Amino acid sequence: MDDGSRCYAYLADSGSSSAPGDCERSGARWATGGSDGRWSEEPSMRSTMVPASDDKFVQLRLQMEGDMKSYGLTESKDLKALWKKMDRDGNSEIEISEVEDLTQELVKSGIWPKWMSYKDALEQAFETTLEESDHGDHSVHQEEFHNLLLNMFWFCKLHEVFQDIDSSGDGLVSLEEFQEGMARLGMQPDGNIQKDFRELDRDGGGTADFKEFCSWVRMKVTPEHNHAFDTDKQSAAKITSKQPAEATAGVVARKKSFADFDALEKKLKALCADESGKGLQKLWQRLDFNGNNLVSLAEIDKWVVETWALLNHKPALMRAFKATTEAGGNKDEYVHKKDFKRLILNLFYFNKLCWLFDQVDEEHNRKLDLKEFTWCLSMCGAKMSERSAAAEFQKVDTNGGGEILFDEFCKYFTQKHCPHELTDFVADQ
């Protein structure tokens, strides 16, 4: 079916069969790969013919896979050629204007479909790619190009679907619009409609924007958490260099990961440890653009978006700001220059804490039960019995409600009541 880069099992084919069952009947046996990289026969493995799925999400996934291949978004040689066309000035980075110009050109020439010309979707795709970037600037670099194309394709493709659901045309989808729109499109979400909407409305605001919708659909079209799908975007640099192309199905935006935080933590520690202080001084000047040696929450918010998109989590930002001003003894609701290093550490600390909380919050209700809390301990490497985990849970659940709110979770960490493995995981010092 492809270059075999994602092969988990194979069946030898004589060249005349129309389905795996024909090979099996002729005596061929399935083979699977082991951890040592060798292939071995699996005599007990059999294939079963099943009807094509009529699930709309499955059909959407298959349609997008075929479209992306036909529009030249999977092959390495096509990606390289496309990069050269988009990076017209040859400076190895592209701006949103270059993306829009080339897209318009490709659509007009008929190489790309008309639905690729949605400006709002292209801007969202570009912003999402920047959020995933470690460069902290406003340009997409070559190693991020594959990410950009994936986001452009999916965001534009889903833009039409989103418009059909957004009956009010305000750019936001309510629970009622979501229910009516899904039914009209023939896409019936699984289970309870309110539960599905909570998955879509991750920030709990009562409405979902286009970006949230794209992320939700991405999980619907690739629900199996296939490792190959989730690592596509991490392999973008390989795609645009000399490695063979991998399939790009099912990816909208790569999730934050341990590696993301580890890499940024290393940079921040080096920055704060630099005795010359030149790096910190440069960052502060960029943040304190008017030079009055103090900055507001709004200024910090804008600066974080432009500098470290990984730390752009509003609940974490609020707590980092509050923790910094309180520790600095400032009563004027500003962060002063002398507290800048503390602000950077707090931003990292609370963002990693928020990320950990989100990872274990299976219901996405911003609460953790005992099971989810125990999973949290396990993620951080804390090995303890069920009784010990329950005892830790009671320390956090100060009101005895059987659930941990995020504020309680933060307080538990900041007061150092948690196991050493958890504080080591966050590594705020």
Side-chain angles (χ1 to χ4, degrees):
M1 298 293 289
D2 55 27
D3 61 5
S5 62
R6 291 187 171 181
C7 188
Y8 299 98
Y10 73 86
L11 193 65
D13 179 18
S14 64
S16 59
S17 61
S18 60
D22 296 340
C23 302
E24 292 171 337
R25 283 186 286 273
S26 64
R29 291 183 176 180
W30 286 95
T32 59
S35 58
D36 59 357
R38 299 180 179 180
W39 293 89
S40 58
E41 288 189 350
E42 290 286 346
S44 62
M45 184 179 287
R46 296 287 185 274
S47 62
T48 302
M49 188 74 74
V50 297
S53 173
D54 59 357
D55 184 283
K56 295 296 182 180
F57 288 108
V58 174
Q59 293 178 3
L60 177 63
R61 168 177 167 174
L62 295 175
Q63 178 188 353
M64 287 189 172
E65 288 180 8
D67 286 348
M68 292 180 78
K69 186 173 183 179
S70 65
Y71 297 134
L73 299 179
T74 59
E75 297 296 330
S76 179
K77 64 180 188 325
D78 294 330
L79 293 177
K80 288 178 180 178
L82 199 57
W83 169 262
K84 290 181 179 180
K85 288 182 180 179
M86 196 170 290
D87 182 26
R88 292 179 175 175
D89 56 7
N91 64 349
S92 297
E93 56 185 43
I94 51 179
E95 309 288 341
I96 181 60
S97 58
E98 293 175 298
V99 172
E100 292 174 344
D101 289 345
L102 181 61
T103 300
Q104 186 177 17
E105 178 183 321
L106 293 173
V107 170
K108 282 185 176 180
S109 63
I111 297 175
W112 280 3
K114 291 182 178 180
W115 46 261
M116 282 293 291
S117 61
Y118 286 121
K119 186 176 181 180
D120 291 344
L122 290 174
E123 290 176 352
Q124 286 276 16
F126 192 84
E127 290 176 8
T128 297
T129 307
L130 292 180
E131 289 174 5
E132 300 162 1
S133 169
D134 291 330
H135 290 284
D137 55 19
H138 298 282
S139 303
V140 170
H141 299 248
Q142 186 170 1
E143 66 269 22
E144 300 155 351
F145 185 52
H146 189 239
N147 299 28
L148 173 64
L149 290 175
L150 290 168
N151 286 330
M152 287 169 58
F153 186 89
W154 278 84
F155 277 45
C156 289
K157 185 72 172 179
L158 294 175
H159 193 271
E160 293 181 314
V161 179
F162 185 82
Q163 285 185 315
D164 286 337
I165 297 174
D166 179 22
S167 57
S168 63
D170 60 356
L172 298 171
V173 171
S174 64
L175 173 60
E176 293 74 17
E177 288 176 321
F178 175 68
Q179 186 172 7
E180 294 175 2
M182 287 289 100
R184 187 168 62 252
L185 294 169
M187 294 181 176
Q188 296 298 335
D190 301 326
N192 185 283
I193 189 70
Q194 294 183 345
K195 179 177 181 296
D196 287 304
F197 187 74
R198 285 198 301 271
E199 293 178 358
L200 173 61
D201 178 24
R202 295 296 300 274
D203 61 5
T207 57
D209 59 21
F210 176 61
K211 195 172 181 180
E212 290 174 314
F213 177 74
C214 288
S215 297
W216 179 75
V217 173
R218 178 258 185 273
M219 294 306 300
K220 286 295 181 182
V221 297
T222 57
E224 70 275 23
H225 301 290
N226 186 313
H227 175 72
F229 286 121
D230 293 335
T231 54
D232 270 336
K233 303 193 74 176
Q234 299 178 45
S235 304
K238 297 179 182 178
I239 292 288
T240 53
S241 56
K242 61 182 180 180
Q243 298 296 324
E246 296 179 18
T248 55
V251 180
V252 170
R254 179 170 61 84
K255 291 183 177 181
K256 297 177 183 180
S257 67
F258 283 105
D260 294 328
F261 282 100
D262 288 344
L264 182 56
E265 181 180 10
K266 185 176 180 180
K267 292 180 181 179
L268 294 181
K269 284 186 174 181
L271 182 68
C272 293
D274 183 6
E275 294 182 0
S276 70
K278 292 182 179 179
L280 283 174
Q281 181 65 26
K282 185 176 180 180
L283 282 174
W284 175 259
Q285 290 174 350
R286 183 176 176 182
L287 172 58
D288 180 26
F289 63 90
N290 59 7
N292 63 353
N293 288 330
L294 48 88
V295 291
S296 66
L297 177 61
E299 289 175 311
I300 295 171
D301 188 6
K302 181 177 182 295
W303 173 74
V304 168
V305 172
E306 296 173 349
T307 308
W308 294 306
L310 182 68
L311 306 183
N312 184 26
H313 190 287
K314 294 300 186 289
L317 176 62
M318 294 289 292
R319 287 166 177 80
F321 180 81
K322 184 178 180 181
T324 304
T325 54
E326 288 180 351
N330 306 322
K331 299 181 180 180
D332 53 6
E333 294 300 316
Y334 287 96
V335 170
H336 294 236
K337 184 177 181 179
K338 63 182 178 65
D339 301 316
F340 183 48
K341 186 183 293 187
R342 179 182 287 113
L343 171 66
I344 292 176
L345 294 174
N346 281 334
L347 283 169
F348 178 83
Y349 174 84
F350 282 104
N351 269 277
K352 196 168 186 181
L353 207 55
C354 280
W355 174 79
L356 176 62
F357 190 90
D358 287 340
Q359 293 302 299
V360 298
D361 180 17
E362 289 182 313
E363 297 296 325
H364 304 304
N365 57 1
R366 289 170 176 75
K367 300 176 183 178
L368 301 185
D369 57 22
L370 176 57
K371 177 185 175 183
E372 292 169 329
F373 179 72
T374 303
W375 183 22
C376 169
L377 296 176
S378 177
M379 280 185 67
C380 298
K383 299 178 181 179
M384 58 179 63
S385 65
E386 292 183 7
R387 178 178 296 182
S388 298
E392 289 295 325
F393 184 81
Q394 290 178 353
K395 289 181 184 179
V396 194
D397 183 23
T398 54
N399 61 6
E403 294 177 319
I404 298 173
L405 301 176
F406 181 64
D407 283 334
E408 293 177 316
F409 190 68
C410 287
K411 188 176 181 181
Y412 172 67
F413 272 85
T414 54
Q415 293 182 349
K416 306 301 183 188
H417 290 164
C418 49
H420 290 300
E421 291 88 352
L422 274 70
T423 51
D424 290 343
F425 170 80
V426 176
D428 66 317
Q429 297 298 333

